[in-house]
Amino acid sequence: EVQLVESGGGLVQPGRSLRLSCTASGFTLGDYSFSWLRQAPGKGLEWVGFSRSKAYGGTAEYAASVKGRFTISRDDSKSIAYLQMDSLKTEDTAVYYCTTTFGNDVFHAFDIWGQGTTVTVSS
Amino acid sequence: DIQMTQSPSSLSASVGDRVTITCRASQSISSYLNWYQQKPGRAPNLLIYAASSLQSGVPSRFSGSGSGTDFSLTISSLQPDDFATYYCQQSYTTPRVTFGGGTKVEIK
C-alpha cells in the first residue's frame, strides 16, 4: 500500500525549532517530488513548500510566509522527507501534511497524503 | 498569486439533493483545477483532477466542469457520506499551488 506517515509535531515555544518527518512506504520517495501543506485550526489549506526529485534537480521552493525559516530536505535512501522549522511563530500553529502527486503529476493533484501532524506554537 | 474563490462557503442540503459548488480563479488557469473532500480530523481526499477527470475509486455521483476561470463541482445525489468540506486547488502555477477557502456541506 502506498502510504505517507508524518511524525514530529508537538508543542513548542515561539522562536524555537521543530523538525517534522514524513516516511513513505509502498513506493520510492526518491522517484517523486513532494509538498508540505498546512491547515491552521478552523482554516483552509496552505501550501508551505515543495521538493523536486533528484531527477529534476532536487531543489526546493517555499511559500513567502515561511521562506528563510523553514527548510525541506529528503533522505531518499530511507524514503523520508523532512521539514525543518526554525524561528517558529504563533501563526505557524497548524496541522502539517506531506503529500505527493503520485499518479497525477501532470496536473499536480495531490493523491497521496499523510495523516497530518499537529504543531502548536505557544508560550 | 492566483486567488481562488469558492462559493458558497457553506450550504445545507438533504440526502438525495443535487449540490453544486463553484470555484473562480483570479486569472485563467486553463484546466489546472483539482477538487478535494475533507472530513473532520482527516487529510483531504482527491476527487477530481484536471477540472473534470474523476479520480480512481471516487463515486460517479461526483463530477467537475469548467475551464479558464470558472469551475464547478457537482454531487448528483447527495449521500450521507458526502457531508464534508470541499476545496478547489489551482495547479497552474505549480508547484506554488493555492486553494479555495472551502465549502462546508451540512445536513439540512
Side-chain angles (χ1 to χ4, degrees):
Chain A
E1 180 189 7
V2 174
Q3 197 173 2
L4 295 169
V5 177
E6 298 103 336
S7 59
L11 174 63
V12 61
Q13 294 178 327
R16 303 297 292 266
S17 299
L18 201 62
R19 189 179 79 161
L20 307 183
S21 300
C22 172
T23 302
S25 59
F27 71 105
T28 302
L29 184 64
D31 293 340
Y32 296 88
S33 64
F34 64 86
S35 293
W36 286 95
L37 305 179
R38 67 184 180 184
Q39 188 169 35
K43 301 297 184 181
L45 296 159
E46 179 188 14
W47 175 76
V48 172
F50 171 82
S51 173
R52 292 179 177 84
S53 66
K54 277 190 177 177
Y56 290 91
T59 54
E61 295 190 34
Y62 301 92
S65 57
V66 306
K67 190 172 184 179
R69 299 188 299 121
F70 289 12
T71 303
I72 294 172
S73 61
R74 56 198 298 160
D75 184 337
D76 290 340
S77 67
K78 298 180 179 178
S79 277
I80 301 178
Y82 299 101
L83 180 65
Q84 176 69 39
M85 304 184 294
D86 298 323
S87 303
L88 281 162
K89 305 176 181 180
T90 55
E91 52 263 40
D92 295 320
T93 293
V95 175
Y96 285 73
Y97 295 101
C98 65
T99 180
T100 187
T101 58
F102 184 75
N104 283 283
D105 195 52
V106 172
F107 283 87
H108 211 74
F110 300 117
D111 52 4
I112 306 296
W113 294 71
Q115 83 285 2
T117 188
T118 300
V119 173
T120 304
V121 184
S122 174
S123 55
Chain B
D1 289 1
I2 297 178
Q3 308 301 318
M4 306 300 295
T5 303
Q6 279 183 243
S7 61
S9 57
S10 66
L11 65 89
S12 295
S14 301
V15 172
D17 284 353
R18 182 182 181 89
V19 169
T20 298
I21 298 166
T22 63
C23 180
R24 174 165 288 177
S26 59
Q27 66 183 73
S28 177
I29 57 171
S30 184
S31 294
Y32 289 86
L33 191 284
N34 308 309
W35 289 98
Y36 301 83
Q37 177 194 68
Q38 187 179 33
K39 296 181 179 179
R42 303 287 297 275
N45 182 50
L46 177 66
L47 300 175
I48 301 285
Y49 64 94
S52 60
S53 296
L54 191 68
Q55 173 68 358
S56 175
V58 174
S60 59
R61 62 181 179 272
F62 291 93
S63 64
S65 65
S67 66
T69 59
D70 294 314
F71 303 86
S72 63
L73 172 71
T74 297
I75 309 171
S76 60
S77 177
L78 198 65
Q79 298 301 302
D81 191 47
D82 301 338
F83 292 96
T85 300
Y86 294 84
Y87 293 95
C88 62
Q89 171 229 338
Q90 68 81 15
S91 58
Y92 188 76
T93 55
T94 291
R96 297 174 178 275
V97 302
T98 51
F99 292 82
T103 296
K104 187 174 184 178
V105 177
E106 298 176 301
I107 302 173
K108 182 182 284 185

